[in-house]
Amino acid sequence: MEAEDIKRATWRMAHEIIERNQGLEGVVLVGLQTGGVWLAADIASALNEIEGVEPPLGTLDVAFHRDDIGLRPLLPEAPTNIPFNLDGQAVVIVDDVLYTGRTIRAALDALNSYGRPRTVQLAVMVDRGHRELPIRPDFVGKNLPTRRDEMVDAHRDGIDLGEIVK
Amino acid sequence: MKHLLSINDLGAEGIDEVCRLADHFTEVSQRPIPKVPALRGKTVAMLFYEDSTRTRLSFEVAARRLSADVMGFSVSASSVNKGESVRDTVATVSAMGPDAIVVRHRSAGVPQQTAAWTDASVINAGDGWHEHPTQALLDCYTIRDRLGSVAGRRIVIVGDIKHSRVARSCVMAFTVLGAKVTLVAPPTLLPPEVGSWPVDISFSLDAVLSDCDVVYGLRVQKERQSEALLPSLREYTAQWGLTAARAARLHPDALVMHPGPVNRGVEIAPEVLDQPNATLNEQVRHGVAVRMAVLYLLLAADPDLRPEGAGT
């Protein structure tokens, strides 16, 4: 995928978010640190261009909610900033790559601390499979079958696929 | 890092790491539900042989906000009153499997000894006149939050330096971060070894007031004043107290700090405590986030898994 494809996929997901929620009433975006933040910002500006409304945009680092604390070093990488109440809102979690689903589980756990959303949806640029939990995305840029030992990186300029160096 | 016994265990790099992590826990503390599951299943034991309000509460709140369980221990209601030694008490508490023991004792060195008697991580919550590392950490965090950094700041610490574990830990923390520290005290309340500390010494608060970024007042420890080192409290206030008149000569942005509990009108005048540049309540608030950071660093990650450059 090239930069143009990423942009088209971002716009398509923006349209799908509007369609699913019948507008942007009560829709808020939460980008996961660090990979999902650029995508959340891009979806938010696409939503703004389409609907003329910029939805509230937050960031979330899930380090303190992960289930593998103690198994590897887990220090938060970037700030969490959710300056709005989530009670009754439609929260769209945004991340770059969906893999095992454990990050999303941690994100769902963290969101509980900020209120009780009406609904939580998930938007990802890449779904690479290999889920370990019953989690599925609502909005997907691209489904990309991978091996477990591959590394996937999604950013504004495209998607990189690499081998994990062991 | 397994234990936090002294500020020296951290160094500049480690203090910075605690402060960066405390930023994240400050955010956690502002959530509608200020609690994360990071230390679920861990147990923190409180072993306080000395009176404490804020330090003990602060550690308990910090542990609970991380979802750790807290084992309380109060000397007045324990077998210590039946003559049990510290060593046996530590062994008893350890046998119940805590992951961390937070120790306060009137004698210097008890936390270091405790570390040798248990498999748990030991955190020094104040030992005698020796050290109080988490107090110094929250003070560094408060200065960093208000003034941007500790490095290059001119910090005046005034009061009973000799009997103050807070002063010892703060001097180490502030100077290792690159602050310029001046101690102000009556000659009788300076420790004999102060000549080897990397600080300036003055006997006059008036001489250094107009030229500093932080005035840090220490508590006059009435309970440690058996040696008659001060003529009277009124004499102390006249010479070394931060009165309203003295506070008026401070730079408008200069901070007024104090580790608490404060003797109102002795170390600092009541009206000065109410000024916006007095940070006493902020220090207490930051104490929770900083202690969450310390507990998380000690208990959340296997020490072998710590990333490069993240302290010892």
Side-chain angles (χ1 to χ4, degrees):
Chain A
M1 269 176 110
E2 306 284 320
E4 267 306 300
D5 303 315
I6 297 285
K7 193 174 173 196
R8 270 194 288 274
T10 305
W11 274 74
R12 176 174 50 74
M13 285 195 280
H15 278 289
E16 287 172 358
I17 288 169
I18 295 164
E19 192 180 7
R20 166 79 67 92
N21 294 286
Q22 297 168 333
L24 289 179
E25 184 69 38
V27 172
V28 304
L29 301 183
V30 175
L32 300 191
Q33 294 284 13
T34 56
V37 171
W38 68 267
L39 181 57
D42 284 9
I43 291 177
S45 58
L47 290 170
N48 189 18
E49 283 193 46
I50 299 163
E51 288 285 283
V53 193
E54 179 122 11
L57 179 60
T59 59
L60 175 64
D61 190 306
V62 302
F64 300 138
H65 297 268
R66 293 197 64 100
D67 57 10
D68 47 2
I69 289 172
L71 301 177
R72 56 195 184 108
L74 283 171
L75 296 177
E77 295 181 74
T80 294
N81 182 24
I82 303 184
F84 36 84
N85 195 300
L86 298 183
D87 282 339
Q89 305 296 97
V91 179
V92 182
I93 299 174
V94 182
D95 205 359
D96 52 351
V97 179
L98 178 60
Y99 181 32
T100 61
R102 288 181 189 268
T103 303
I104 305 304
R105 188 214 61 79
L108 289 168
D109 186 55
L111 288 181
N112 281 336
S113 307
Y114 296 91
R116 182 180 181 277
R118 174 165 52 83
T119 170
V120 180
Q121 299 158 12
L122 174 61
V124 296
M125 182 49 74
V126 175
D127 181 354
R128 60 169 293 194
H130 302 290
R131 215 78 75 240
E132 294 169 2
L133 295 169
I135 282 169
R136 62 161 181 78
D138 298 274
F139 315 105
V140 184
K142 183 174 176 56
N143 284 296
L144 186 67
T146 57
R147 296 195 315 268
R148 278 182 179 273
D149 60 355
E150 284 173 314
M151 241 169 54
V152 181
D153 196 20
H155 40 84
R156 279 199 178 98
D157 302 326
I159 294 170
D160 294 332
L161 203 61
E163 304 277 322
I164 291 177
V165 184
K166 285 187 178 168
Chain B
M1 195 174 74
K2 167 90 173 168
H3 309 291
L4 178 60
L5 303 174
S6 161
I7 274 291
N8 286 331
D9 294 344
L10 289 166
E13 188 55 35
I15 296 171
D16 278 340
E17 188 183 29
V18 169
C19 288
R20 284 195 303 274
L21 195 50
D23 279 338
H24 293 279
F25 287 118
T26 296
E27 186 277 322
V28 168
S29 299
Q30 288 161 354
R31 295 179 186 181
I33 300 174
K35 188 163 181 161
V36 292
L39 295 187
R40 217 165 35 163
K42 306 279 186 185
T43 303
V44 179
M46 302 285 162
L47 207 55
F48 276 66
Y49 284 89
E50 236 188 16
D51 293 342
S52 165
T53 309
R54 67 206 70 220
T55 304
R56 183 178 176 145
L57 271 178
S58 182
F59 268 111
E60 289 194 15
V61 170
R64 294 209 162 97
R65 285 192 177 166
L66 290 165
S67 301
D69 295 309
V70 177
M71 274 165 66
F73 175 89
S74 109
V75 166
S76 57
S78 73
S79 294
V80 172
N81 277 346
K82 300 178 189 165
E84 188 173 58
S85 70
V86 175
R87 180 170 190 161
D88 288 335
T89 304
V90 169
T92 304
V93 171
S94 295
M96 298 183 200
D99 298 280
I101 302 179
V102 181
V103 186
R104 167 169 289 191
H105 198 280
R106 65 189 169 279
S107 301
V110 167
Q112 286 77 4
Q113 280 298 326
T114 303
W117 293 330
T118 179
D119 293 331
S121 288
V122 176
I123 300 174
N124 182 355
D127 59 331
W129 305 346
H130 180 222
E131 276 221 56
H132 191 355
T134 56
Q135 177 70 43
L137 288 170
L138 72 90
D139 292 330
C140 290
Y141 187 71
T142 302
I143 294 171
R144 174 182 172 276
D145 183 60
R146 279 286 196 123
L147 304 177
S149 74
V150 177
R153 300 297 166 189
R154 296 156 303 174
I155 302 172
V156 170
I157 303 178
V158 54
D160 180 358
I161 311 287
K162 182 179 179 178
H163 301 101
S164 175
R165 54 193 173 215
V166 173
R168 273 176 189 74
S169 288
C170 279
V171 164
M172 283 190 239
F174 295 161
T175 54
V176 80
L177 291 178
K180 186 177 168 300
V181 176
T182 304
L183 303 181
V184 180
T188 49
L189 293 181
L190 281 171
E193 77 276 18
V194 75
S196 64
W197 295 6
V199 295
D200 293 330
I201 291 162
S202 169
F203 299 117
S204 163
L205 184 57
D206 290 312
V208 297
L209 260 188
S210 55
D211 206 28
C212 68
D213 302 300
V214 177
V215 181
Y216 194 109
L218 296 171
R219 189 167 64 90
V220 175
Q221 306 193 38
K222 293 174 191 159
E223 73 270 24
R224 299 200 212 276
Q225 287 297 344
S226 52
E227 308 159 53
L229 298 169
L230 280 175
S232 71
L233 287 182
R234 193 186 293 178
E235 171 87 11
Y236 179 88
T237 306
Q239 292 279 336
W240 294 283
L242 190 60
T243 57
R246 287 202 175 101
R249 293 179 41 224
L250 286 170
H251 189 273
D253 297 329
L255 305 181
V256 174
M257 300 179 69
H258 191 287
V262 64
N263 297 305
R264 280 184 171 259
V266 180
E267 302 104 40
I268 304 178
E271 56 267 43
V272 177
L273 290 171
D274 294 333
Q275 289 175 4
N277 59 342
T279 62
L280 278 72
N281 289 331
E282 272 164 70
Q283 287 169 269
V284 173
R285 189 170 69 243
H286 291 154
V288 174
V290 163
R291 291 182 174 109
M292 287 171 83
V294 168
L295 287 168
Y296 187 81
L297 280 175
L298 293 181
L299 299 185
D302 187 320
D304 299 335
L305 295 171
R306 302 302 311 290
E308 289 294 311
T312 48

